[in-house]
Amino acid sequence: MNLTIKNACVSRQKWILALFYSLFIGLFFSPLQAQIDFSKSNLNFNGFGSAPITTSLTFGPDGRLYVLEYPGTIYALTVKRNASDNYEVIAKETITGVKSIPNHDDDGTTCSGPSGSCNSRESTGLAVSGTAKNPILYVTSSDYRVGSGSNGGFGDVNLDTNSGVITQLTWNGISWDVIDLVRGLPRSEENHATNGLEFTTINGIDYLIVAQGGHANGGAASVNFSYLCEYALSGAILSVNLSALEKMPVLNDNGRNYIYNLPTLDDPTRANVNGITDPNNPSYNGVDINDPWGGNDGLNQAIVVPGGPVQIFSPGYRNPYDLVVTESGAVYTTDNGANGGWGGIPVNEGSATVTNAYDANEPGSDSSSSADDGEFMNNTDHLQLITTNKDNYNFGSFYGGHPNPIRANPAGAGLYTAPANLGTVGAVFRTQKYDPNSSTPGSTADVNIALPANWPPVQTANSVEGDWRGPGISNPDGPDDDPITTWGTNTNGIDEYTASNFGGAMKGDLLAGSSRGILRRVELMADGTLKKFTPEFLGGIGGNALGVTCNGDSEIFPGTIWAGTLNGKIVVYEPMEGEALNFPLRINAGGPEVSLNGNLFGADNYFFNGQSYTNTSTKIPELYQTERFDSKLNLDYKIPVPSGNYQVVLHFAEIYWGAAGGVAGGIGKRVFDVNIEDVLVLDDYDIIADVGSETPVEKTFLVTVSDGELNLNFSALASTGGINSPKVSAIEILTDSNESPVAIASAEIINGTVPLNVTFTGDNSTDDIEVISYLWDFKDGSTSSSANPKHTFTSAGIYEVELTVQDSEELTNSTTLTITVVDNQNQATVSGINASPDNGTAPLLVSFTVLNQVDDVATTSYLWDFGDGSTSSSEMEPSHVFSEKGIYEVSLTVNDEQGLSHTQTTTVTVIDEKKEEETIVGILMKNPVKEVAQVRIIDNGTDMVKVFKIYLHDSSGRIVGIYNAKDIVSNGLYQIPIASLSTGQIYYLSFEMDKGKRLVFSMLVDN
């Protein structure tokens, strides 16, 4: 499978001409930028299991792809390129040196959580150095457990808040030497942890630069983060001096080698190793039993040791997931913005007297509870430039804007501790140091209210860290935050593109992965600031791209981009340069290169979404034994072609419904529309009704392309009469030799408020001879014949600005550019919702959160209907207990201050935890599941329970299939077709029985 993303393709002569414009190259803006082309394919694991649940990946000096999996396993993959867009794994090594790190509770004792959590590590950072003969891996990990959440969520689950570890694994020629370099780094009660890292050399000293997650939403203790305060080393970019660590002895802890335990505070509630707790005793050293483990809500947090190997490189980040040290020596980091409603700013924020005291109002948590100076959390992810020159940078000098009271005010910040799982029972704001005999002035002998005797954990105050600076908004207390760019939420993994492909046009660009399954592109000026931001540069990843790596000219597979996802995919983007399409162009949809009647159909290409399906049991030509379909009912191909007239031939054959090797079905099982260039050419098309199953059929259409891209859309949306997944077997594009000019329009800005001044560019338009005239129609009654005009829009509206160019042969071509002009009129709130968990046994406690809420004015109210007859909730993000089994449709209606509303729903499935488990047993025969899910139901009771219906749900709870049990069962084995489902996604099978019984199975699809 592959994806090519281009906006225009010109003739070979035009391609040479366009090369001179390579400095302006990009994607998704104007057709001129089409010279930067990447094809997409999924890495073929070739029988070596499936893709890991990836959090980071990179190629090593030995040419292997190292992939870090979320629970701590590392995979070293030997990858072979067979052909363009054909990469496969030919060898795989499993490395467990990180996953085996012991976990602890927050008091430092052995982990008491579920065995699966205690025997895994949340692992999010991977860097590689060394040589081809002896590669070296650096991996970050922490406690696998995750607590906290909306309205407290799971609360304090006793995970170790000192569990962060950086591990070095060195290949000695026979095996991996494993050493934990640093132990005792911070870890939040949620999943913010010791994250991405880079190996670099600064002024001759080897360092690791490490993204260390924060503990609080806006710097203050809050309900949703289980009241944990920021630690001395949390919420920062750290430096780890490897050259210094190499001079230290290797120690051993119960068979595990390590070098450096971060010194910690002397927790007054824990016994000391030498038994001495009086800080005035000459033999006092403050070392607790089980150090460095067990942060104990900050009472045992790590200390910043002046001159030590671990220092603050740059303070002030909420949750930096990844960072990049560029070839030029600049350092950039991604940071996740503060969530609205998850916690506010610290007490005395904006001053040097900021503290960790807890304010139950959590001021600044959102717009409805803004602080006295108007500040509030704006939930904006962003990219931060720390330095353009690492060798001249003063460590700790750049502040990212997220407060840390302990570093800002070490002597006066105090510490808020809340020992309960949920709530503030037993919580205390500690301000007095511990002294067992109270001989120290201002001390206390009460361990239940005392700070550690060796408080504070930071020796020098950095008062700037008392100021919260929201990305993209003004700061009433001092300088504004100055990010390189802000971008959509959940943008995490990042890397620099260093290859010289496309004439060097992308060299030095930053590429960042998003949870939306896209890569964002950041083009930079020579001074490191923003030149251009492309929010959707490459798409079709199909998951949360936490891991991103770009291969340089001297690396294996130069110029490629690799993305690994949290849902188990590794995607390869391969650069395509100087390729002119040859006509006729033939594509085998969903399949490899194949011939039919002497015509060669190339491997599937230029698709933008969908999945492939193969059925070799059918007795039809090989071309028709594969297809591309889309389980989400909307399939697109975007094929770059010169503007002009074409004959498009679409090939179809039904190989799933009613076909050998498929499933039973007939007329009405698959109905879809086909649109070419936004023109409906097939309406409610039913292949079986037309020619029957397993019978090839061709449909030919005359098409005019005017924008350099042939757009094919296959839609089975219910709103237009569609049923099941649309599909296509093959595509042919036939053309004549006439060549029109190619109109290429771009604009300096494409949206804004009235009056909007826009500078347009049209002289990048191309022709095989010469473009001689330009005509711009601004669609507001004005026109221009200038190649690059300037125009002012004085009224709000959406203007489809049209550029028409003409060549010396009087051939013309037009293109449009959308300009959006607004006058701040109100729009309804748009939001999504998430249920966690979305299924389980009764009574089931479910936490609901609001996702991606957007409104141009303030949101004023929330109304939740849980679908079980209970009282509705007006909280923004409530929790609710479902007492009875059933499938509940939960709805959220959001109103803004001008009365507009938006309603979104999700589904929660609750099963009964009664005696039926003892008499009714269900077995999912294989998981992950491919093509057909097989479930065997065994009734050990006397009532002979019968299955009536089987419901198929996606991970959002939406029903995607309903089956009558009698139609799919044979000898107690239920066979549910899933070939149309998306690979790598979780789905649920719910078996509905008489006597009120129900069984639910979770399955991972691996089609």
Side-chain angles (χ1 to χ4, degrees):
M1 296 187 296
N2 56 54
L3 164 70
T4 298
I5 302 177
K6 302 185 183 181
N7 284 336
C9 180
V10 295
S11 66
R12 186 171 302 275
Q13 294 89 347
K14 294 178 194 172
W15 181 87
I16 295 171
L17 176 64
L19 182 61
F20 291 103
Y21 296 100
S22 61
L23 290 177
F24 304 97
I25 288 172
L27 283 176
F28 295 119
F29 274 84
S30 73
L32 172 65
Q33 301 163 339
Q35 297 305 314
I36 290 186
D37 306 329
F38 286 88
S39 60
K40 169 191 165 288
S41 61
N42 288 343
L43 178 61
N44 178 8
F45 272 74
N46 191 31
F48 290 94
S50 56
I53 302 170
T54 304
T55 54
S56 185
L57 79 172
T58 187
F59 279 88
D62 56 351
R64 295 198 291 177
L65 177 62
Y66 289 90
V67 183
L68 179 62
E69 188 169 50
Y70 181 65
T73 302
I74 307 162
Y75 298 97
L77 307 177
T78 303
V79 178
K80 177 184 177 184
R81 182 184 186 272
N82 296 317
S84 176
D85 304 318
N86 186 349
Y87 294 81
E88 69 175 6
V89 177
I90 59 173
K92 174 182 174 181
E93 180 186 2
T94 301
I95 306 167
T96 59
V98 172
K99 194 173 189 292
S100 58
I101 296 175
N103 286 305
H104 303 80
D105 286 345
D106 209 26
D107 61 0
T109 59
T110 301
C111 177
S112 63
S115 60
S117 296
C118 289
N119 295 323
S120 297
R121 298 281 291 177
E122 178 181 288
S123 305
T124 50
L126 169 68
V128 180
S129 68
T131 65
K133 184 178 180 180
N134 300 109
I136 302 172
L137 314 181
Y138 301 96
V139 180
T140 61
S141 68
S142 61
D143 199 311
Y144 191 70
R145 290 169 286 183
V146 177
S148 303
S150 179
N151 294 319
F154 297 104
D156 185 337
V157 297
N158 206 21
L159 65 82
D160 181 3
T161 57
N162 274 8
S163 59
V165 175
I166 301 174
T167 303
Q168 174 184 284
L169 303 95
T170 305
W171 181 251
N172 60 25
I174 300 174
S175 61
W176 292 94
D177 294 329
V178 181
I179 300 176
D180 294 330
L181 297 178
V182 179
R183 309 196 304 178
L185 289 163
R187 163 58 198 272
S188 77
E189 297 284 6
E190 221 245 359
N191 61 7
H192 300 180
T194 312
N195 294 318
L197 72 171
E198 287 268 5
F199 173 90
T200 191
T201 300
I202 302 177
N203 295 318
I205 299 174
D206 290 341
Y207 284 94
L208 292 176
I209 308 299
V210 185
Q212 176 63 57
H215 293 173
N217 193 49
S222 68
V223 173
N224 289 1
F225 280 92
S226 299
Y227 307 100
L228 191 65
C229 298
E230 295 290 0
Y231 287 5
L233 286 170
S234 68
I237 306 301
L238 306 178
S239 65
V240 177
N241 188 326
L242 292 177
S243 297
L245 291 177
E246 288 173 359
K247 298 176 182 178
M248 296 182 178
V250 176
L251 307 174
N252 191 274
D253 180 6
N254 291 318
R256 190 170 182 93
N257 289 336
Y258 74 97
I259 291 181
Y260 185 62
N261 278 345
L262 283 162
T264 68
L265 293 173
D266 180 9
D267 185 346
T269 69
R270 282 164 65 171
N272 286 10
V273 173
N274 65 3
I276 298 173
T277 60
D278 188 347
N280 300 309
N281 188 310
S283 298
Y284 172 81
N285 61 20
V287 178
D288 296 316
I289 292 174
N290 295 324
D291 272 354
W293 311 121
N296 197 16
D297 290 348
L299 294 173
N300 196 50
Q301 66 182 276
I303 295 171
V304 179
V305 179
V310 179
Q311 296 295 319
I312 304 293
F313 183 80
S314 175
Y317 302 92
R318 177 181 177 272
N319 186 34
Y321 184 81
D322 201 7
L323 53 83
V324 59
V325 180
T326 69
E327 285 189 331
S328 66
V331 182
Y332 296 84
T333 184
T334 62
D335 194 17
N336 294 152
N339 295 341
W342 276 59
I345 59 178
V347 172
N348 297 336
E349 179 271 336
S351 72
T353 59
V354 62
T355 78
N356 279 318
Y358 176 61
D359 184 336
N361 293 318
E362 299 189 6
S365 182
D366 56 31
S367 59
S368 64
S369 59
S370 59
D372 292 340
D373 58 6
E375 291 182 290
F376 62 88
M377 303 300 105
N378 64 337
N379 194 22
T380 302
D381 286 15
H382 53 287
L383 175 67
Q384 200 79 57
L385 168 63
I386 296 173
T387 178
T388 57
N389 190 329
K390 61 182 179 176
D391 291 319
N392 294 336
Y393 175 67
N394 181 21
F395 283 22
S397 61
F398 181 84
Y399 174 53
H402 177 82
N404 185 311
I406 287 176
R407 293 198 294 260
N409 181 22
L415 185 70
Y416 187 77
T417 58
N421 168 247
L422 291 167
T424 57
V425 174
V428 61
F429 178 48
R430 300 168 185 257
T431 59
Q432 297 173 281
K433 294 184 184 180
Y434 176 69
D435 187 340
N437 55 25
S438 300
S439 62
T440 303
S443 65
T444 178
D446 186 352
V447 299
N448 295 312
I449 64 171
L451 290 167
N454 55 348
W455 183 272
V458 179
Q459 298 305 308
T460 304
N462 184 24
S463 60
V464 69
E465 294 191 61
D467 183 21
W468 184 77
R469 299 176 182 177
I473 58 177
S474 61
N475 175 28
D477 303 312
D480 291 342
D481 188 38
D482 188 24
I484 292 297
T485 187
T486 59
W487 46 27
T489 54
N490 267 327
T491 302
N492 296 299
I494 191 170
D495 199 15
E496 179 186 21
Y497 194 88
T498 61
S500 58
N501 296 73
F502 316 114
M506 285 187 62
K507 193 173 180 66
D509 291 355
L510 304 181
L511 300 179
S514 163
S515 61
R516 292 181 52 213
I518 58 175
L519 294 182
R520 310 187 192 279
R521 181 187 180 195
V522 179
E523 299 172 63
L524 301 168
M525 304 290 286
D527 62 359
T529 58
L530 182 66
K531 177 181 180 182
K532 184 177 183 180
F533 172 51
T534 306
E536 296 186 4
F537 176 60
L538 295 172
I541 295 175
N544 188 353
L546 292 181
V548 178
T549 190
C550 306
N551 286 9
D553 291 336
S554 62
E555 296 179 274
I556 191 172
F557 314 131
T560 56
I561 304 168
W562 301 67
T565 72
L566 195 58
N567 64 327
K569 286 185 178 180
I570 295 179
V571 173
V572 188
Y573 291 100
E574 183 173 273
M576 301 176 64
E577 294 187 87
E579 296 188 4
L581 293 180
N582 294 316
F583 293 93
L585 175 65
R586 295 183 171 95
I587 301 170
N588 179 19
E593 184 177 273
V594 65
S595 292
L596 178 71
N597 299 328
N599 294 321
L600 182 65
F601 287 76
D604 198 7
N605 208 342
Y606 305 113
F607 59 84
F608 202 72
N609 46 27
Q611 304 87 42
S612 61
Y613 171 68
T614 301
N615 182 357
T616 57
S617 299
T618 58
K619 305 301 181 183
I620 53 178
E622 184 180 358
L623 177 69
Y624 297 96
Q625 292 179 358
T626 61
E627 66 181 35
R628 177 154 291 277
F629 71 97
D630 187 40
S631 60
K632 296 182 179 179
L633 311 182
N634 205 26
L635 172 65
D636 290 288
Y637 275 78
K638 300 176 184 292
I639 305 173
V641 298
S643 295
N645 298 321
Y646 295 90
Q647 197 176 83
V648 177
V649 183
L650 302 180
H651 296 252
F652 302 99
E654 182 56 67
I655 59 174
Y656 183 71
W657 298 105
V663 298
I667 294 174
K669 281 297 187 179
R670 188 197 305 271
V671 179
F672 58 95
D673 295 342
V674 178
N675 288 271
I676 303 179
E677 289 294 281
D678 295 324
V679 176
L680 181 66
V681 296
L682 288 176
D683 186 18
D684 292 341
Y685 183 56
D686 186 328
I687 301 172
I688 298 178
D690 187 7
V691 295
S693 294
E694 297 185 69
T695 303
V697 62
E698 300 176 10
K699 302 292 181 181
T700 302
F701 309 96
L702 295 178
V703 177
T704 298
V705 176
S706 59
D707 61 355
E709 185 175 78
L710 174 62
N711 292 281
L712 307 175
N713 172 259
F714 305 81
S715 171
L717 297 173
S719 59
T720 57
I723 300 173
N724 287 317
S725 304
K727 63 154 287 179
V728 63
S729 300
I731 301 168
E732 289 185 274
I733 304 172
L734 315 176
T735 184
D736 58 29
S737 59
N738 292 333
E739 291 187 15
S740 298
V742 178
I744 300 174
S746 61
E748 183 181 45
I749 57 174
I750 60 173
N751 59 69
T753 57
V754 292
L756 183 64
N757 299 309
V758 182
T759 299
F760 293 90
T761 300
D763 63 4
N764 292 323
S765 302
T766 61
D767 186 68
D768 55 336
I769 301 176
E770 182 185 13
V771 175
I772 63 170
S773 69
Y774 302 81
L775 178 62
W776 291 86
D777 184 350
F778 301 113
K779 302 302 182 182
D780 63 353
S782 301
T783 61
S784 173
S785 59
S786 171
N788 304 311
K790 295 182 179 179
H791 183 69
T792 300
F793 295 89
T794 58
S795 300
I798 298 176
Y799 300 92
E800 294 293 334
V801 176
E802 183 177 37
L803 168 63
T804 301
V805 296
Q806 181 176 308
D807 67 11
S808 58
E809 298 175 344
E810 297 187 346
L811 295 178
T812 62
N813 178 247
S814 298
T815 187
T816 60
L817 191 65
T818 302
I819 304 296
T820 303
V821 186
V822 299
D823 57 4
N824 297 319
Q825 291 180 347
N826 185 32
Q827 297 179 356
T829 299
V830 177
S831 64
I833 58 178
N834 180 64
S836 179
D838 61 7
N839 67 89
T841 56
L844 180 65
L845 174 63
V846 180
S847 297
F848 295 91
T849 55
V850 179
L851 304 175
N852 303 321
Q853 181 171 308
V854 178
D855 196 281
D856 53 341
V857 298
T859 299
T860 58
S861 69
Y862 301 83
L863 182 64
W864 293 83
D865 185 342
F866 301 109
D868 60 353
S870 62
T871 303
S872 58
S873 172
S874 59
E875 297 179 33
M876 177 180 177
E877 295 183 328
S879 295
H880 182 70
V881 175
F882 294 88
S883 306
E884 304 289 339
K885 65 181 179 181
I887 299 177
Y888 299 99
E889 182 172 88
V890 180
S891 67
L892 166 64
T893 300
V894 183
N895 291 279
D896 69 13
E897 65 181 13
Q898 295 188 15
L900 295 182
S901 65
H902 171 76
T903 300
Q904 187 72 30
T905 63
T906 190
T907 302
V908 174
T909 302
V910 183
I911 61 175
D912 199 353
E913 194 179 37
K914 295 183 179 179
K915 295 293 184 178
E916 52 256 47
E917 294 91 84
E918 301 175 4
T919 60
I920 302 174
V921 178
I923 304 171
L924 182 60
M925 305 302 289
K926 184 181 289 187
N927 199 6
V929 182
K930 184 175 183 178
E931 296 185 356
V932 177
Q934 295 183 321
V935 177
R936 186 172 297 281
I937 305 296
I938 303 172
D939 188 356
N940 297 318
T942 59
D943 292 340
M944 295 304 294
V945 172
K946 295 181 180 179
V947 177
F948 287 118
K949 294 274 189 184
I950 297 97
Y951 295 88
L952 177 61
H953 302 262
D954 64 17
S955 58
S956 70
R958 182 173 61 92
I959 295 177
V960 296
I962 303 175
Y963 304 92
N964 291 317
K966 62 183 179 63
D967 295 336
I968 58 173
V969 66
S970 176
N971 297 321
L973 185 66
Y974 295 84
Q975 301 192 70
I976 301 95
I978 62 154
S980 62
L981 301 185
S982 298
T983 296
Q985 301 296 315
I986 299 294
Y987 291 83
Y988 300 92
L989 287 169
S990 177
F991 282 68
E992 183 179 77
M993 310 174 203
D994 62 355
K995 306 185 189 304
K997 293 178 170 57
R998 182 184 298 273
L999 288 177
V1000 178
F1001 303 87
S1002 172
M1003 64 181 179
L1004 174 64
V1005 173
D1006 185 24
N1007 284 329

